[in-house]
Amino acid sequence: MTVNGLLQQYSEWVLEDRLRHATMVFCGYAKDMLEPIEQLLTYSFREQERQTWLDAFQTLRTNVAKLDHVADYDDEKYVHLIKQLRQEGASLRILNHIQREHQRFLDVMTKELLAPLYEPLERLASLADFDFEELQAIEVIRRFSYKPIEIIDQFDYFSESLSGTSIKAATLAQLTLLIAQLIEQLAHFNVYELDVLHKELDGEYMVSIGAMPCSLAPDVARHHVCKVFERGFYIKETNDVLREAKVMTVM
């Protein structure tokens, strides 16, 4: 394989491994949120209702745990690739860059932090005759972001199930805030939530699953979104829609 071919392989691995690690960190962040939610439930319901919602919470915990599995990092493939690059005559600057970035990423993983996605690849492109834009980054992001999005769905389903109960509004607001913080973590995937509430229905990134009379949503204009049943997400850098938002509109 040529030097450029090896650099293409390296870049694909870097993107995948950093997104895989980001998924692991995201899952850990989601699990950390379970404890404060459990505490909210414990002190928010009367005794006769409390167990019902703690049982429902255990379902949430189980569903999050099912998604909390990320493949191990393969350190050896980078060692082998560096050897191949040497054999193919790659420059010392390129070899040093790859070795430094590899060590930095190992340090980041040890500390359970997040590593930048594109910066090391952009620096590599400046050192070599290599077109970073040729990477299928969108497909890689799409593949790795599905798990965090599914975890957010689980939290949303649980929160929605509480909305018709005797839980205090302030407590539900705290839960909503925790979910919002979880969504903010998607920024590391370059993924953001679609802003659709009170917007006019747009088939490009919304799917209407029903409509309600304007008398039930007097503050929302006709054909505009009055309720979001399932969040939609997009890749900010390219505006590619990862998933349409499922919404209800006003007739």
Side-chain angles (χ1 to χ4, degrees):
M1 191 181 291
T2 65
V3 169
N4 269 14
L6 290 168
L7 292 179
Q8 177 79 19
Q9 178 68 81
Y10 165 76
S11 299
E12 291 171 0
W13 285 347
V14 165
L15 199 57
E16 288 185 3
D17 285 333
R18 287 169 187 244
L19 285 169
R20 183 181 291 110
H21 175 66
T23 302
M24 181 188 72
V25 173
F26 186 95
C27 290
Y29 189 78
K31 287 197 297 183
D32 289 344
M33 283 192 167
L34 292 173
E35 184 176 348
I37 290 174
E38 186 173 20
Q39 291 176 351
L40 284 175
L41 294 175
T42 301
Y43 297 105
S44 297
F45 286 101
R46 292 186 293 273
E47 188 173 351
Q48 59 268 33
E49 296 179 287
R50 187 180 304 141
Q51 193 56 49
T52 299
W53 292 106
L54 286 175
D55 289 344
F57 171 76
Q58 291 306 321
T59 300
L60 171 64
R61 187 193 295 277
T62 300
N63 289 338
V64 171
K66 285 178 182 177
L67 294 165
D68 184 23
H69 178 71
V70 182
D72 293 333
Y73 178 67
D74 182 5
D75 183 42
E76 287 300 316
K77 67 184 180 186
Y78 288 100
V79 175
H80 181 63
L81 182 133
I82 289 170
K83 288 180 181 177
Q84 287 182 291
L85 282 168
R86 283 200 185 100
Q87 291 170 358
E88 292 297 329
S91 72
L92 189 60
R93 292 176 67 192
I94 290 174
L95 292 170
N96 287 341
H97 169 79
I98 291 175
Q99 288 174 318
R100 280 196 304 269
E101 290 299 336
H102 178 54
Q103 188 57 53
R104 283 174 184 161
F105 185 51
L106 291 176
D107 292 342
V108 163
M109 287 197 299
T110 301
K111 297 172 183 175
E112 296 186 356
L113 301 174
L114 289 170
L117 283 182
Y118 295 123
E119 286 86 339
L121 299 182
E122 290 167 348
R123 286 196 293 270
L124 176 63
S126 69
L127 295 174
D129 182 18
F130 170 70
D131 187 2
F132 171 63
E133 299 300 325
E134 291 181 3
L135 275 179
Q136 300 298 313
I138 294 172
E139 290 309 313
V140 178
I141 291 172
R142 189 184 301 276
R143 179 153 46 94
F144 281 96
S145 62
Y146 89 91
K147 184 178 291 189
I149 288 173
E150 193 169 341
I151 286 176
I152 289 170
D153 286 343
Q154 295 300 324
F155 278 85
D156 277 338
Y157 299 153
F158 180 71
S159 177
E160 182 66 22
S161 71
L162 291 172
S163 60
T165 69
S166 61
I167 192 170
K168 295 177 181 177
T171 304
L172 195 57
Q174 284 180 279
L175 177 57
T176 301
L177 179 61
L178 287 172
I179 296 173
Q181 291 171 354
L182 197 59
I183 293 169
E184 288 175 4
Q185 298 302 308
L186 283 175
H188 191 73
F189 296 81
N190 282 346
V191 171
Y192 293 80
E193 182 183 0
L194 289 165
D195 181 17
V196 298
L197 190 61
H198 299 164
K199 298 291 193 298
E200 188 173 9
L201 182 65
D202 187 331
E204 288 291 322
Y205 57 95
M206 303 179 202
V207 176
S208 176
I209 60 173
M212 66 170 59
C214 57
S215 59
L216 296 179
D219 297 329
V220 182
R222 290 186 63 198
H223 309 305
H224 283 58
V225 176
C226 58
K227 184 174 177 60
V228 179
F229 282 94
E230 189 175 80
R231 302 177 196 269
F233 297 93
Y234 72 105
I235 300 174
K236 188 174 183 179
E237 188 177 44
T238 61
N239 281 326
D240 283 88
V241 175
L242 285 174
R243 186 178 77 181
E244 298 93 341
K246 292 180 181 176
V247 302
M248 178 171 279
T249 56
V250 175
M251 290 190 291

